[in-house]
Amino acid sequence: MNAKDQQVVERTEPEARRWMVTGRVQGVGFRPFVFRLAQRFHLTGRVQNLSGQVLIEAAGEKPMLDAFGAALLAEAPPLAQPEMICVERISYRKLDRFEIVLSSAVEAAEIHIPPDYFLCDDCKREMQTPGDRRYRYPFINCTQCGPRYTLITRLPYDRLNTTMAGFELCSACRAEYENPFDRRFHAEPVACPACGPQLCLVTPSGHVERAAALAACVSALRQGEIVAVKGIGGYHMMCDANNGTAVGRLRANKQRPHKPLALMFPWRGADGMERVQRELEIDAAARVLLCTPMRPIVLLRRRMDSTLPESIAPGLREIGAMLPYSPLHHLLLDEFNNPVVATSGNISGEPVMTDNTEVEKRLGNVTRIFLHHDRPIARPADDPVMRIIAGKARLIRAGRGVAPMELDFPRLFAQPVLAVGGHMKNSVALGWGRRVVLAPHIGDLDAPRSLAVFEQVIADFQRLYGVIPQAIVCDAHAGYASSRWAAQRGLPLIRVWHHHAHASALAMEHCMERHRGGTWLIFTWDGVGLGEDGTLWGGEALHGYPGAWRRAARMRPFRLPGGERAGREPWRSGMSLCWESGIDDQPCVADATLLKKAWKKKLNAPVTTAVGRLFDGAASLLGLIDKASYEGQAGMYLESAAAGNAEAMDLPLEKDASGLLTADWKPLIQALLQGDVPVAQRAMQFHMSLARSIVAQAQYIHASTPFDRVGLTGGVFQNKLLAELAAAQLAAAGFDAHLPERLPSNDGGIAFGQLAEAECAHG
Amino acid sequence: MDDTHIRLAHGNGGSYMRELIETVFARHLANPLLNVQADAVALPAMEGGGVVMVTTDGFTVQPLEFPGGTIGSLAVHGTVNDLAVSGATPYYLTLNAFIEEGFDIARLERIIASLAEAAREARVVIVAGDTKVLPHGEVGGLYLATTGVGVRAQHLQLGLDRVQPGDAVLVSGPVGDHGIAVLLAREEFGLRGELLSDAASVFPLTQALASLNGLRFMRDPTRGGLATVLHEICRATGLEVRLNQTAIPVREQVAAVCEMLGYDPLFLACEGRVVAVVEASQAPEALTRLQALPQGREAAIIGSVNAGRAHVVLQTELGGERILEELEDDPLPRIC
Ligand SMILES: [Fe+3]
Ligand SMILES: [Mg+2]
Ligand SMILES: [Zn+2]
Ligand SMILES: [Zn+2]
């Protein structure tokens, strides 16, 4: 039933109606759009922002009101996602115009904070038009584009409540800002060269500003220099991607020997894709993904004839590529005309840096050249990362453009709840009403800066959304910095098992998408997380549904000699897998006599079932890696190494008295050590055998305890090869198999899962 | 059971006991004040008219003998050091021994001899003592408890409440030696001999620092190691302690064993080191004084106390920063 059908009585006199609209309607030009629409349909009345909801009252001819009502949703600006709450008849009042009433914070309703957007086509055209007053202006924006989340300091979303507050509008900008017919009507970050932010290039020999700064930055890049470039959510460290020496120096200075470096390509050709496809393989899905307003980093296969240096992503077949998203990036890349390395300006594991002074101080050993600008960044937002797995874009890291991520929760929260996430790749989520908002990727909470941003984002979320949590959910691992922080808040604390959170995130996400419940079998495979029996899980299959998970299967446990160190040194898992298999003569990177004694005595050698560590061990036994310099490196190497055909092995299944199924990895170890079989084939066999084991476990469990759907989640399923093999084979075996669709499968999605699990178990 | 091992009778107050005390304890610990017959001892007035300081501690280390010390020497050093870091001059100790039935008397004698030796070196005397024998299985061989009496100069005010932002943090020598020496000995890793415990009296070190008016606080980093002392500073002051990782002295063998087994030397026990917080301008002088002593040759300024969040922050060589969390009972990996 829509409003139109309810109008039964024919009337000739004018009438009036009221609409309440919610959803993403703030900071996206929705009110000016309503205003223009009202003009088109000759209506009088008003539109008003009520801290989140938009109230529209209009009077005029009935057919015009009908058309207006339909167009409100159908013709909304591309970035707006309006949802109609209600429409009702109101008493007619004669007015002579339609007006936009300024923001009101009187009523705390649904507040939506948009993420940061790309540069829209209209602004890009202006920026490239000689004679336009914003010709080549790096901070051009309008209601349809530009930063939001990273510059909002308070709500309501008005210029004075953003980091643009310090820039007073010139008369030309003010005229646009105040003109309801203008694309920049109440575009809060609106600016021009006369009144807005400017560039400044700082080098050891002095500094230059504005256009000269951009030109000097480009020539520095041409000369093979590294430049720290301030963007939307923080700094990038940039250098010429084709200059192997520059890339090598960036790696050396940043102490980042292997971690893949993301590239930003110039926008070339009709679809912008011309330069990307010269180096990387892109299909239709990748094409769409690269161009979305999110402008994510997309992991794409390097072409055989690519001339990019191997050092961009050593040992890997894929490279992370993105297109320019801010006007500054467009200008810079247009001018430079070649891909640049655009890696986060941060210290490993920390959030990207946002402050001019801090970046000079803390990244001064990486470069002495800084392209600053004077628009402050309120809070960091790293670039989002995505990978196409099983035909769909999967989020690896929620960042700028993607988050804050709005999720409709299928249940009503009894009270506002804060979830503080995991320890690595931390992100937090706030749940209230029927909503959840997930913050952008924060970082690993070992560093003080990560913890500071973690606290800031939590405080900002509460303030911006006007929500005071009455309980906190954290991981069951009390040693996580997030758990420690949560325990000190003096609020009721709910501890959720790590893998229950992983499973609930997946189940609840699908429940939201398709409005269905049912019973799941979810493979939660990751690095390590604390399990119910006090050991480190990471190779389980959980049976049930949010709030009621039961460990149905696991991988065979083994020890991690050296504890946390094993996570950084895959050779330890490799040796342990051998020792557990009774193989004592496997050559080792170091003299492991002492370690083996400690392993035997169970000294600092915790028990785990984690498939992430199994991947570590396998990569090490194949000779691909001894020590990792970044998280997930061993698994990524193993995936990259796999090629050709191999025969999957059966991993023996055994059920114990309690009904727990154990899959034994032992046959894999012997196979990995077959020196006469090519590495590519052994790596492929490893993946195929694990995929087969997933199907075998599902079938075995289904026979005694049925379930409706199978899920694959946890960091291990960022492995495209394994995820696609497993998903396809599950489907072939008749299972309804699912991967996470909107949330990251790694710990970046944990906070949402914590809310889901806590609400279903206790809510 | 033969007379080479402790019997329950050694604790019953009879002749066995008298004989044990005379042949083992009194023989090694004899001094004019120790009267094994008396119920209590009268202590002569101590010099200077300072503040009398008392401390007590129990010792349960395993193994009882390890490279660089025994539970006996540890029972002296532990208590002497608690007095020393409080700014006191240690004078007297009392000793309680809890011995397990069946304990080898020759071994007991070795341990008491090393206790006596440590006391002589630390210039303290044992003024009272007691011995108990417990049935087999109720004690891990031997436990000791000591109480120490010392005197602190009236004017010397040390404490966490005196710590100020900007102060420097010093350590008197390499950390983790004791923890690793004991671990290797206990687990019988077959690496013994190379690495000695650092167990020693720190009184010479604390005495050298005591006359610096910028000295704020001293502590001996025993259980929980250096990191635990720094956490105490954070907790009590609400200030940040920032460590320069490369400045922290760690012996190569200790670092190597830690790296292999996955331990952090900052959390390992020391038994002969001092952590001192000193007003920044006097830090170089404090360092000079420590380094002038044989025990303090490898002393270092390792960090500072700062205004800021109450975290212990480890600054790495590459400009990275890591929060050192408090020690957990059974730390489990957090890398997912
Ligand atoms: Fe996880
Ligand atoms: Mg003590
Ligand atoms: Zn625009
Ligand atoms: Zn302007």
Side-chain angles (χ1 to χ4, degrees):
Chain A
M1 271 297 187
N2 64 28
K4 208 155 47 180
D5 301 325
Q6 292 166 1
Q7 305 301 314
V8 259
V9 186
E10 276 286 327
R11 275 172 190 273
T12 46
E13 331 80 274
E15 58 178 60
R17 270 177 226 170
R18 174 189 290 145
W19 292 263
M20 286 295 283
V21 182
T22 185
R24 187 192 284 167
V25 287
Q26 279 188 324
V28 290
F30 189 72
R31 284 170 301 158
F33 154 74
V34 173
F35 179 88
R36 289 192 296 272
L37 215 55
Q39 308 299 319
R40 192 165 106 205
F41 294 110
H42 309 290
L43 304 175
T44 62
R46 60 196 196 123
V47 55
Q48 184 176 9
N49 211 343
L50 294 171
S51 271
Q53 298 185 352
V54 170
L55 168 80
I56 304 160
E57 290 177 351
E61 298 293 330
K62 180 182 172 296
M64 292 299 193
L65 286 170
D66 292 345
F68 174 80
L72 277 178
L73 294 189
E75 294 179 32
L79 294 178
Q81 291 171 4
E83 290 159 33
M84 194 71 77
I85 301 179
C86 68
V87 48
E88 58 191 349
R89 280 281 293 272
I90 54 172
S91 59
Y92 179 75
R93 198 153 44 98
K94 182 145 177 58
L95 296 168
D96 14 295
R97 58 195 184 98
F98 194 92
E99 61 172 2
I100 297 177
V101 182
L102 281 187
S103 293
S104 152
V106 199
E107 198 184 327
E110 293 242 311
I111 291 159
H112 296 259
I113 295 159
D116 302 290
Y117 299 125
F118 68 140
L119 173 68
C120 76
D121 289 347
D122 290 336
C123 286
K124 192 161 83 183
R125 207 172 303 117
E126 282 181 8
M127 187 180 76
Q128 290 167 345
T129 306
D132 190 282
R133 68 188 193 90
R134 293 192 181 87
Y135 177 56
R136 293 181 64 77
Y137 180 58
F139 303 95
I140 186 171
N141 64 78
C142 72
T143 47
Q144 291 309 295
C145 71
R148 300 287 187 273
Y149 171 75
T150 56
L151 53 69
I152 295 175
T153 50
R154 276 176 301 277
L155 281 180
Y157 178 53
D158 277 327
R159 187 178 178 92
L160 283 178
N161 294 339
T162 70
T163 61
M164 288 297 291
F167 296 92
E168 202 182 325
L169 288 166
C170 69
S171 55
C173 285
R174 177 166 300 282
E176 293 170 333
Y177 183 82
E178 288 172 353
N179 175 8
F181 292 99
D182 196 282
R183 204 172 88 246
R184 299 201 167 85
F185 176 73
H186 273 271
E188 307 306 341
V190 74
C192 78
C195 68
Q198 298 293 351
L199 294 176
C200 175
L201 185 87
V202 173
T203 70
S205 56
H207 69 277
V208 282
E209 289 181 356
R210 303 191 170 216
L214 189 74
C217 172
V218 169
S219 69
L221 289 171
R222 288 220 174 92
Q223 285 156 25
E225 299 284 358
I226 300 161
V227 186
V229 177
K230 186 175 182 179
I232 298 288
Y235 280 81
H236 283 124
M237 303 307 279
M238 289 191 178
C239 74
D240 183 351
N242 285 302
N243 184 334
T245 318
V247 175
R249 207 169 55 249
L250 176 58
R251 286 205 174 281
N253 294 0
K254 216 185 165 196
Q255 296 284 334
R256 186 172 159 162
H258 315 111
K259 193 173 181 187
L261 300 168
L263 302 187
M264 190 183 276
F265 283 78
W267 180 284
R268 287 287 178 271
D271 61 354
M273 224 62 69
E274 196 184 292
R275 295 301 297 278
V276 186
Q277 63 198 16
R278 228 188 259 176
E279 308 287 352
L280 308 170
E281 290 175 12
I282 48 177
D283 58 11
R287 208 171 281 275
V288 171
L289 196 53
L290 279 165
C291 279
T292 60
M294 298 181 281
R295 289 290 154 87
I297 296 171
V298 184
L299 304 185
L300 299 168
R301 249 177 195 250
R302 178 202 287 265
R303 278 171 62 135
M304 295 301 278
D305 58 352
S306 163
T307 55
L308 290 167
E310 166 69 16
S311 57
I312 298 290
L316 302 179
R317 290 189 196 170
E318 288 182 339
I319 285 180
M322 68 182 139
L323 288 170
Y325 51 89
S326 80
L328 171 61
H329 296 134
H330 275 282
L331 290 170
L332 190 62
L333 271 293
D334 271 353
E335 192 89 356
F336 187 67
N337 199 24
N338 267 312
V340 294
V341 167
T343 183
S344 303
N346 67 347
I347 285 165
S348 176
E350 287 190 13
V352 62
M353 282 187 219
T354 52
D355 181 73
N356 300 23
T357 319
E358 188 185 18
V359 82
E360 284 190 27
K361 195 175 115 199
R362 297 194 63 212
L363 291 177
N365 54 343
V366 182
T367 181
R368 299 301 315 152
I369 309 176
F370 302 89
L371 185 64
H372 297 307
H373 60 68
D374 53 356
R375 181 175 67 198
I377 298 172
R379 60 193 70 79
D382 233 317
D383 294 316
V385 182
M386 301 185 116
R387 191 178 196 193
I388 295 166
I389 299 174
K392 285 186 184 163
R394 314 283 174 178
L395 197 56
I396 305 281
R397 180 169 80 192
R400 172 218 23 99
V402 174
M405 190 192 286
E406 293 268 349
L407 298 142
D408 293 316
F409 201 65
R411 297 165 58 115
L412 183 69
F413 281 99
Q415 53 183 5
V417 185
L418 169 73
V420 294
H423 184 72
M424 310 288 282
K425 294 185 165 68
N426 177 271
S427 177
V428 299
L430 197 56
W432 73 102
R434 289 183 178 276
R435 295 177 67 193
V436 171
V437 182
L438 179 71
H441 164 84
I442 292 171
D444 301 340
L445 297 184
D446 290 320
R449 178 169 150 72
S450 306
L451 204 55
V453 170
F454 166 86
E455 292 183 335
Q456 186 202 345
V457 168
I458 289 172
D460 284 358
F461 262 39
Q462 297 182 24
R463 209 162 36 84
L464 292 173
Y465 292 103
V467 171
I468 310 295
Q470 302 300 307
I472 303 188
V473 201
C474 69
D475 196 279
H477 193 313
Y480 284 6
S482 51
S483 305
R484 288 176 191 259
W485 183 89
Q488 290 161 5
R489 298 280 75 74
L491 284 173
L493 189 65
I494 305 163
R495 295 182 189 273
V496 168
W497 299 108
H498 188 84
H499 298 91
H500 289 184
H502 269 305
S504 287
L506 179 66
M508 196 59 100
E509 185 194 359
H510 282 273
C511 177
M512 291 182 312
E513 298 289 323
R514 307 204 169 79
H515 302 285
R516 56 187 189 186
T519 304
W520 288 80
L521 182 73
I522 300 189
F523 290 83
T524 54
W525 285 10
D526 64 0
V528 298
L530 183 63
E532 287 172 292
D533 61 355
T535 69
L536 298 164
W537 289 13
E540 336 304 307
L542 303 180
H543 183 277
Y545 45 87
W549 297 110
R550 181 184 62 82
R551 187 193 205 187
R554 62 167 184 182
M555 295 305 288
R556 173 180 163 170
F558 65 102
R559 291 188 172 273
L560 294 175
E564 193 151 300
R565 238 168 213 278
R568 293 187 289 269
E569 299 180 8
W571 70 268
R572 292 173 184 268
S573 296
M575 292 317 291
S576 173
L577 290 167
C578 287
W579 297 336
E580 307 261 357
S581 310
I583 301 165
D584 291 312
D585 53 352
Q586 175 63 18
C588 183
V589 291
D591 174 13
T593 323
L594 184 61
L595 190 68
K596 189 168 180 191
K597 284 181 180 166
W599 169 82
K600 254 192 196 144
K601 288 172 175 285
K602 304 171 181 177
L603 211 64
N604 200 25
V607 171
T608 189
T609 51
V611 177
R613 297 290 94 87
L614 193 57
F615 265 89
D616 281 3
S620 151
L621 295 177
L622 285 185
L624 298 171
I625 187 171
D626 296 325
K627 293 187 181 185
S629 67
Y630 62 91
E631 207 221 325
Q633 188 178 0
M636 288 161 75
Y637 279 13
L638 195 64
E639 182 189 354
S640 276
N645 237 318
E647 206 169 314
M649 282 186 299
D650 283 315
L651 306 191
L653 292 176
E654 207 182 285
K655 202 170 191 171
D656 71 12
S658 72
L660 175 64
L661 194 64
T662 299
D664 192 349
W665 39 255
K666 209 166 162 181
L668 293 172
I669 308 309
Q670 281 299 349
L672 287 164
L673 294 173
Q674 303 272 287
D676 48 339
V677 179
V679 168
Q681 190 180 329
R682 282 182 276 161
M684 182 56 88
Q685 183 176 42
F686 181 83
H687 282 85
M688 290 175 64
S689 305
L690 284 180
R692 172 179 285 196
S693 179
I694 286 174
V695 178
Q697 290 177 48
Q699 284 169 330
Y700 193 112
I701 294 162
H702 196 268
S704 55
T705 39
F707 44 84
D708 306 311
R709 275 175 288 285
V710 182
L712 305 171
T713 191
V716 167
F717 292 106
Q718 293 172 116
N719 181 315
K720 183 176 159 94
L721 176 59
L722 177 67
E724 289 180 349
L725 282 171
Q729 289 174 24
L730 282 167
F735 291 107
D736 182 16
H738 299 274
L739 289 158
E741 307 221 328
R742 292 190 62 195
L743 294 159
S745 68
N746 59 42
D747 281 9
I750 279 282
F752 175 75
Q754 289 173 341
L755 287 179
E757 178 66 15
E759 194 57 27
C760 293
H762 308 277
Chain B
M1 198 175 284
D2 56 86
D3 55 6
T4 59
H5 291 81
I6 296 289
R7 304 157 71 164
L8 284 174
H10 280 118
N12 71 3
S15 62
Y16 276 98
M17 183 166 168
R18 200 184 60 244
E19 196 179 302
L20 178 72
I21 289 170
E22 278 168 8
T23 57
V24 177
F25 290 91
R27 183 152 79 88
H28 289 280
L29 303 175
N31 67 74
L33 288 171
L34 180 62
N35 178 346
V36 295
Q37 255 56 284
D39 283 322
V41 61
L43 298 176
M46 289 168 282
E47 63 199 53
V51 181
V52 174
M53 309 280 288
V54 178
T55 184
T56 189
D57 219 337
F59 299 85
T60 59
V61 67
Q62 291 293 340
L64 302 175
E65 296 169 278
F66 49 86
T70 68
I71 192 173
S73 61
L74 208 56
V76 171
H77 294 138
T79 297
V80 160
N81 290 350
D82 284 349
L83 288 171
V85 294
S86 313
T89 304
Y91 287 99
Y92 308 118
L93 294 183
T94 71
L95 173 68
N96 282 276
F98 302 87
I99 315 170
E100 185 176 11
E101 177 190 10
F103 197 78
D104 179 357
I105 293 178
R107 192 172 182 208
L108 178 66
E109 194 171 345
R110 275 203 310 275
I111 288 168
I112 298 305
S114 97
L115 184 148
E117 166 79 19
R120 257 191 308 280
E121 269 175 33
R123 298 202 203 152
V124 289
V125 289
I126 313 294
V127 294
D130 184 45
T131 303
K132 292 281 182 293
V133 176
L134 287 99
H136 182 74
E138 288 186 15
V139 193
L142 175 67
Y143 295 158
L144 299 178
T146 51
T147 294
V149 181
V151 176
R152 197 201 68 206
Q154 195 84 51
H155 67 272
L156 187 61
Q157 299 282 326
L158 297 177
L160 286 167
D161 54 331
R162 301 194 2 119
V163 174
Q164 300 291 323
D167 287 352
V169 180
L170 289 89
V171 68
S172 67
V175 296
D177 294 8
H178 178 76
I180 290 296
V182 167
L183 173 87
L184 293 180
R186 182 176 59 230
E187 302 297 339
E188 292 163 346
F189 277 124
L191 280 181
R192 57 175 69 235
E194 292 173 40
L195 186 78
L196 302 184
S197 162
D198 55 3
S201 161
V202 298
F203 179 64
L205 298 163
T206 57
Q207 192 181 31
L209 295 179
S211 57
L212 282 174
N213 57 15
L215 178 67
R216 316 279 205 201
F217 168 76
M218 295 188 288
R219 174 73 30 104
D220 54 331
T222 53
R223 248 182 318 185
L226 174 63
T228 301
V229 172
L230 302 177
H231 275 116
E232 246 179 285
I233 298 175
C234 279
R235 242 196 340 270
T237 63
L239 298 169
E240 177 199 79
V241 175
R242 186 165 280 262
L243 294 175
N244 179 357
Q245 187 173 37
T246 49
I248 303 168
V250 181
R251 272 188 220 294
E252 217 170 289
Q253 299 122 292
V254 172
V257 172
C258 281
E259 196 171 305
M260 182 55 73
L261 299 184
Y263 290 115
D264 186 341
L266 305 188
F267 288 92
L268 294 177
C270 308
E271 289 293 347
R273 306 285 178 235
V274 180
V275 177
V277 181
V278 180
E279 196 254 308
S281 68
Q282 292 194 6
E285 170 62 18
L287 184 65
T288 306
R289 291 186 184 191
L290 289 175
Q291 288 179 338
L293 295 162
Q295 239 184 303
R297 259 199 307 270
E298 291 168 78
I301 300 173
I302 56 169
S304 58
V305 180
N306 306 296
R309 302 291 310 275
H311 288 140
V312 179
V313 178
L314 190 66
Q315 209 165 300
T316 64
E317 210 173 344
L318 324 164
E321 296 175 346
R322 188 161 67 84
I323 296 172
L324 275 189
E325 298 278 17
E326 275 181 84
L327 192 66
E328 284 165 70
D329 282 355
D330 185 15
L332 282 170
R334 301 178 297 182
I335 298 174
C336 179

